[in-house]
Amino acid sequence: PAGSQMGQGLWRVARNQQLQHQGYSGQGYLTREHGRRIATNNVSNTSHRKQAQGGIDIYHLLKTRKSKEQEGFINLEMLPPELSFTILSYLNATDLCLASCVWQDLANDELLWQGLCKSTWGHCSIYNKNPPLGFSFRKLYMQLDEGSLTFNANPDEGVNYFMSKGILDDSPKEIAKFIFCTRTLNWKKLRIYLDERRDVLDDLVTLHNFRNQFLPNALREFFRHIHAPEERGEYLETLITKFSHRFCACNPDLMRELGLSPDAVYVLCYSLILLSIDLTSPHVKNKMSKREFIRNTRRAAQNISEDFVGHLYDNIYLIGHVAA
C-alpha cells in the first residue's frame, strides 16, 4: 500500500508538470488545493509551523526551490541523487517502471533494482558471482518474478527455470537458501516440493537457529517456513523428527539441564500439536484442561518436569496454534 500511494503521488507530480508546460499551472489541482488549505488552516498555521521546527518545512522548501511561475512538487532531478534514490526506493517494481517514464535515469538506476531483488529474494547464487556481460538487476528482477510464478504453478519447472538462467546453482544447499530467504513462493506448492526433495528439506532445516527459544515458539517459527501437512502421516513425522534434532543441536545446555533428548522433544511437539487442535478447534466442545495435558504428557515422557509442561500449556492457551 505504501508503494502504491507513493506511485500515485509521483504520477500527480508528472501530471502537474505537464499542465505547467501547457500553461495551466495556475488552474491546476496543486494550486487550488494549496489555496484551499491555506484558507481553511490560516488560524492554526502558527501552531503547525512550530510543530515543524527541527524537521522539513515543505512550504518553505517548495518556495526556495521553485520560482513563482513554477508551483507544485519538486522535480526529483533537482534534488541530490542520494535523496532522489531514497524516495524511489520506497516504490515497488510496477511503480518504479512507471516512474522511469518521467525520471528515466533515476528510476532505471541499478542500485534501486538491486535493492528490489534482494529485499524480495534474499539469496540467489548469482549474487555471489561475477556478473555476466550485459547483466542488469532490472532484467534479473523480471526473471526472478517469472521464475516464482512458474514455481507456484509447477515447483520443478520453477527451479529448473532458475537454474537455466544461472540464477541458482544445482545444489540442495543453494535451493534451500533460496527458499529460506524468499516469501513469494506458494506454501502449498512448496510443501509438495519439499516432500519430494528431502535433500533440500535437510539443508533447509539446518538454516534455522532455535537457540534460547521456548519450544512452542521455535515450533511456530519452523512451521512458518516449512508448512505442516493438513493430515497426519509420514511427512509430518519426518518434519517433527528433523525439528527435534535441530532444536536439541541448537540448545545443548538446555537439553542437559532439563534432561531432554530428541525423542522427548518429539513427544512434546506431538503433544503441542494435539493440544493446539484441541484448544482452537470449534468442533471440540470439552477442551483439555491443564491438569489433563500435564498428566498425559508426563505419561509419555516421564523425565519432564511438571512445571515445564505447565508452561507449554500456558503458551498454547495464550498465543495459539503452533502450526496454524
Side-chain angles (χ1 to χ4, degrees):
S4 178
Q5 292 174 1
M6 178 68 78
Q8 293 173 6
L10 291 173
W11 279 103
R12 285 199 295 270
V13 175
R15 179 58 180 162
N16 185 56
Q17 290 175 338
Q18 291 176 356
L19 291 175
Q20 291 172 7
H21 289 307
Q22 295 170 2
Y24 296 121
S25 60
Q27 302 297 325
Y29 166 81
L30 291 172
T31 304
R32 297 199 308 272
E33 183 69 5
H34 177 69
R36 184 184 65 80
R37 290 180 179 177
I38 290 296
T40 56
N41 296 323
N42 188 47
V43 176
S44 59
N45 188 53
T46 303
S47 62
H48 284 307
R49 292 297 172 84
K50 288 181 179 178
Q51 292 175 3
Q53 288 179 359
I56 298 177
D57 191 321
I58 300 299
Y59 176 75
H60 283 303
L61 185 59
L62 290 172
K63 190 174 181 180
T64 55
R65 283 283 184 173
K66 291 285 187 178
S67 61
K68 291 182 178 179
E69 63 274 8
Q70 287 182 310
E71 297 179 2
F73 287 109
I74 299 171
N75 188 336
L76 290 181
E77 294 175 348
M78 297 178 63
L79 298 175
E82 295 82 359
L83 183 55
S84 299
F85 290 148
T86 301
I87 294 172
L88 291 174
S89 68
Y90 287 97
L91 301 184
N92 58 32
T94 302
D95 289 337
L96 197 55
C97 287
L98 294 174
S100 67
C101 299
V102 182
W103 301 289
Q104 185 172 2
D105 292 338
L106 289 173
N108 286 331
D109 191 274
E110 281 290 276
L111 284 175
L112 292 173
W113 287 98
Q114 181 181 359
L116 271 176
C117 288
K118 293 189 175 182
S119 64
T120 309
W121 300 274
H123 175 83
C124 295
S125 304
I126 197 172
Y127 292 161
N128 302 318
K129 298 178 180 179
N130 292 326
L133 187 64
F135 175 81
S136 162
F137 273 103
R138 179 170 180 170
K139 179 181 177 181
L140 176 62
Y141 183 97
M142 304 305 172
Q143 291 175 335
L144 285 167
D145 190 53
E146 177 69 21
S148 296
L149 292 174
T150 304
F151 183 98
N152 293 339
N154 186 310
D156 289 325
E157 290 184 8
V159 172
N160 290 335
Y161 175 88
F162 290 130
M163 292 178 183
S164 68
K165 300 297 182 181
I167 296 172
L168 274 181
D169 291 341
D170 189 2
S171 160
K173 183 174 291 187
E174 286 296 296
I175 298 173
K177 286 182 180 178
F178 175 80
I179 292 172
F180 186 77
C181 298
T182 301
R183 298 292 178 267
T184 59
L185 304 180
N186 181 276
W187 64 270
K188 291 184 178 180
K189 297 295 184 179
L190 183 57
R191 185 172 62 191
I192 295 172
Y193 180 77
L194 292 175
D195 191 12
E196 297 173 350
R197 290 292 305 268
R198 299 298 175 91
D199 54 343
V200 176
L201 177 61
D202 288 339
D203 284 311
L204 185 57
V205 171
T206 61
L207 292 174
H208 289 82
N209 183 8
F210 301 122
R211 183 169 178 79
N212 295 328
Q213 291 192 37
F214 192 38
L215 181 60
N217 296 333
L219 198 56
R220 286 189 188 91
E221 180 183 327
F222 179 75
F223 282 131
R224 274 192 213 105
H225 286 96
I226 306 173
H227 291 270
E230 296 174 355
E231 302 292 336
R232 288 185 235 170
E234 185 271 336
Y235 182 53
L236 177 60
E237 294 174 0
T238 299
L239 291 181
I240 298 176
T241 300
K242 292 182 183 299
F243 169 82
S244 301
H245 283 86
R246 182 58 183 166
F247 184 83
C248 291
C250 292
N251 298 281
D253 296 337
L254 179 64
M255 295 302 102
R256 283 193 297 269
E257 179 183 340
L258 297 176
L260 295 178
S261 64
D263 289 340
V265 174
Y266 178 93
V267 171
L268 290 177
C269 290
Y270 238 115
S271 297
L272 290 171
I273 292 173
L274 294 176
L275 177 64
S276 297
I277 296 171
D278 185 277
L279 293 182
T280 60
S281 175
H283 304 293
V284 179
K285 302 301 181 183
N286 298 319
K287 305 296 184 183
M288 186 183 300
S289 68
K290 187 174 183 178
R291 186 186 297 274
E292 290 173 330
F293 177 73
I294 293 174
R295 184 179 65 248
N296 295 340
T297 303
R298 295 194 70 200
R299 190 177 296 166
Q302 299 176 358
N303 294 332
I304 303 171
S305 72
E306 183 174 325
D307 287 342
F308 182 75
V309 180
H311 291 320
L312 295 178
Y313 182 95
D314 293 339
N315 182 279
I316 303 301
Y317 185 85
L318 295 172
I319 299 179
H321 207 304
V322 291

